[in-house]
Amino acid sequence: MIESPCIRQCCLDDNDICCGCYRHITEITGWQKLTIEEKENVLSRCDMRKKNHTFTEPRK
């Protein structure tokens, strides 16, 4: 089982990327239904986003 990368600092930027875990909103809402392989892919994308993403202002 792969645990959710959520760190309870949820705030989406203008691209719907969480400023805490770097998942897209669709990855967050669909997490429980993903296979282990799909979760590993999401975590890989999160790592890439964390390294490359510049956040826009969070929504209010």
Side-chain angles (χ1 to χ4, degrees):
M1 184 167 118
I2 298 178
E3 296 291 324
S4 168
C6 181
I7 59 170
R8 307 287 188 249
Q9 292 183 357
C10 305
C11 186
L12 298 178
D13 71 3
D14 289 339
N15 298 309
D16 289 332
I17 303 293
C18 177
C19 299
C21 68
Y22 296 90
R23 288 182 293 171
H24 186 270
I25 186 66
T26 58
E27 296 167 337
I28 294 169
T29 59
W31 182 260
Q32 293 301 318
K33 295 180 182 178
L34 298 177
T35 66
I36 290 174
E37 183 178 350
E38 291 169 328
K39 288 179 180 180
E40 289 171 345
N41 290 335
V42 168
L43 294 177
S44 178
R45 288 192 297 271
C46 290
D47 286 340
M48 289 176 56
R49 288 180 189 127
K50 187 174 183 177
K51 291 175 187 172
N52 300 317
H53 192 68
T54 302
F55 285 104
T56 57
E57 284 296 313
R59 288 190 206 158
K60 296 184 181 194

